[in-house]
mmCIF file with all atom_site columns, all heavy atoms in Angstrom:
data_model
loop_
_atom_site.group_PDB
_atom_site.id
_atom_site.type_symbol
_atom_site.label_atom_id
_atom_site.label_alt_id
_atom_site.label_comp_id
_atom_site.label_asym_id
_atom_site.label_entity_id
_atom_site.label_seq_id
_atom_site.pdbx_PDB_ins_code
_atom_site.Cartn_x
_atom_site.Cartn_y
_atom_site.Cartn_z
_atom_site.occupancy
_atom_site.B_iso_or_equiv
_atom_site.pdbx_formal_charge
_atom_site.auth_seq_id
_atom_site.auth_comp_id
_atom_site.auth_asym_id
_atom_site.auth_atom_id
_atom_site.pdbx_PDB_model_num
ATOM   1  N N   . ASN A 1 49  ? -1.668 0.063  12.160 1.00 0.00 ? 49  ASN A N   1
ATOM   2  C CA  . ASN A 1 49  ? -0.669 0.680  13.080 1.00 0.00 ? 49  ASN A CA  1
ATOM   3  C C   . ASN A 1 49  ? -1.108 2.037  13.624 1.00 0.00 ? 49  ASN A C   1
ATOM   4  O O   . ASN A 1 49  ? -0.433 3.037  13.524 1.00 0.00 ? 49  ASN A O   1
ATOM   5  C CB  . ASN A 1 49  ? 0.732  0.858  12.313 1.00 0.00 ? 49  ASN A CB  1
ATOM   6  C CG  . ASN A 1 49  ? 0.597  1.833  11.087 1.00 0.00 ? 49  ASN A CG  1
ATOM   7  O OD1 . ASN A 1 49  ? -0.452 1.940  10.486 1.00 0.00 ? 49  ASN A OD1 1
ATOM   8  N ND2 . ASN A 1 49  ? 1.688  2.467  10.759 1.00 0.00 ? 49  ASN A ND2 1
ATOM   9  N N   . THR A 1 118 ? 9.440  0.853  11.191 1.00 0.00 ? 118 THR A N   1
ATOM   10 C CA  . THR A 1 118 ? 8.744  1.966  10.588 1.00 0.00 ? 118 THR A CA  1
ATOM   11 C C   . THR A 1 118 ? 7.848  2.695  11.643 1.00 0.00 ? 118 THR A C   1
ATOM   12 O O   . THR A 1 118 ? 7.904  2.415  12.788 1.00 0.00 ? 118 THR A O   1
ATOM   13 C CB  . THR A 1 118 ? 7.987  1.528  9.334  1.00 0.00 ? 118 THR A CB  1
ATOM   14 O OG1 . THR A 1 118 ? 7.527  2.751  8.576  1.00 0.00 ? 118 THR A OG1 1
ATOM   15 C CG2 . THR A 1 118 ? 6.893  0.576  9.659  1.00 0.00 ? 118 THR A CG2 1
ATOM   16 N N   . LEU A 1 232 ? 9.020  4.743  4.035  1.00 0.00 ? 232 LEU A N   1
ATOM   17 C CA  . LEU A 1 232 ? 9.663  3.488  4.262  1.00 0.00 ? 232 LEU A CA  1
ATOM   18 C C   . LEU A 1 232 ? 8.843  2.329  3.673  1.00 0.00 ? 232 LEU A C   1
ATOM   19 O O   . LEU A 1 232 ? 7.623  2.343  3.799  1.00 0.00 ? 232 LEU A O   1
ATOM   20 C CB  . LEU A 1 232 ? 9.842  3.156  5.750  1.00 0.00 ? 232 LEU A CB  1
ATOM   21 C CG  . LEU A 1 232 ? 10.925 4.100  6.422  1.00 0.00 ? 232 LEU A CG  1
ATOM   22 C CD1 . LEU A 1 232 ? 10.903 3.915  7.875  1.00 0.00 ? 232 LEU A CD1 1
ATOM   23 C CD2 . LEU A 1 232 ? 12.293 3.756  5.858  1.00 0.00 ? 232 LEU A CD2 1
ATOM   24 N N   . ASP A 1 260 ? 0.024  2.480  -0.019 1.00 0.00 ? 260 ASP A N   1
ATOM   25 C CA  . ASP A 1 260 ? 0.742  2.859  1.195  1.00 0.00 ? 260 ASP A CA  1
ATOM   26 C C   . ASP A 1 260 ? 0.600  4.338  1.494  1.00 0.00 ? 260 ASP A C   1
ATOM   27 O O   . ASP A 1 260 ? 1.477  4.908  2.071  1.00 0.00 ? 260 ASP A O   1
ATOM   28 C CB  . ASP A 1 260 ? 2.239  2.496  1.128  1.00 0.00 ? 260 ASP A CB  1
ATOM   29 C CG  . ASP A 1 260 ? 2.898  2.523  2.475  1.00 0.00 ? 260 ASP A CG  1
ATOM   30 O OD1 . ASP A 1 260 ? 2.189  2.457  3.488  1.00 0.00 ? 260 ASP A OD1 1
ATOM   31 O OD2 . ASP A 1 260 ? 4.215  2.535  2.482  1.00 0.00 ? 260 ASP A OD2 1
ATOM   32 N N   . HIS A 1 264 ? 0.787  12.217 7.212  1.00 0.00 ? 264 HIS A N   1
ATOM   33 C CA  . HIS A 1 264 ? 1.355  12.880 8.417  1.00 0.00 ? 264 HIS A CA  1
ATOM   34 C C   . HIS A 1 264 ? 1.124  14.354 8.258  1.00 0.00 ? 264 HIS A C   1
ATOM   35 O O   . HIS A 1 264 ? 1.219  14.871 7.123  1.00 0.00 ? 264 HIS A O   1
ATOM   36 C CB  . HIS A 1 264 ? 2.849  12.628 8.543  1.00 0.00 ? 264 HIS A CB  1
ATOM   37 C CG  . HIS A 1 264 ? 3.195  11.163 8.779  1.00 0.00 ? 264 HIS A CG  1
ATOM   38 N ND1 . HIS A 1 264 ? 3.181  10.621 10.001 1.00 0.00 ? 264 HIS A ND1 1
ATOM   39 C CD2 . HIS A 1 264 ? 3.635  10.181 7.942  1.00 0.00 ? 264 HIS A CD2 1
ATOM   40 C CE1 . HIS A 1 264 ? 3.533  9.338  9.978  1.00 0.00 ? 264 HIS A CE1 1
ATOM   41 N NE2 . HIS A 1 264 ? 3.764  9.064  8.649  1.00 0.00 ? 264 HIS A NE2 1
HETATM 42 C C1  . NCD B 2 .   ? 3.814  4.166  7.219  1.00 0.00 ? 401 NCD B C1  1
HETATM 43 C C2  . NCD B 2 .   ? 3.138  5.048  8.301  1.00 0.00 ? 401 NCD B C2  1
HETATM 44 O O1  . NCD B 2 .   ? 3.336  6.284  8.323  1.00 0.00 ? 401 NCD B O1  1
HETATM 45 O O2  . NCD B 2 .   ? 2.238  4.552  9.026  1.00 0.00 ? 401 NCD B O2  1
HETATM 46 N N1  . NCD B 2 .   ? 4.891  4.936  6.736  1.00 0.00 ? 401 NCD B N1  1
HETATM 47 C C3  . NCD B 2 .   ? 5.562  4.758  5.513  1.00 0.00 ? 401 NCD B C3  1
HETATM 48 O O3  . NCD B 2 .   ? 6.588  5.387  5.279  1.00 0.00 ? 401 NCD B O3  1
HETATM 49 N N2  . NCD B 2 .   ? 5.099  3.866  4.657  1.00 0.00 ? 401 NCD B N2  1
HETATM 50 C C4  . NCD B 2 .   ? 4.247  2.923  7.906  1.00 0.00 ? 401 NCD B C4  1
HETATM 51 C C5  . NCD B 2 .   ? 4.648  1.939  6.908  1.00 0.00 ? 401 NCD B C5  1
HETATM 52 O O4  . NCD B 2 .   ? 3.848  1.332  6.119  1.00 0.00 ? 401 NCD B O4  1
HETATM 53 O O5  . NCD B 2 .   ? 5.901  1.543  6.858  1.00 0.00 ? 401 NCD B O5  1
#
Side-chain angles (χ1 to χ4, degrees):
N49 63 331
T118 186
L232 286 171
D260 194 19
H264 292 277

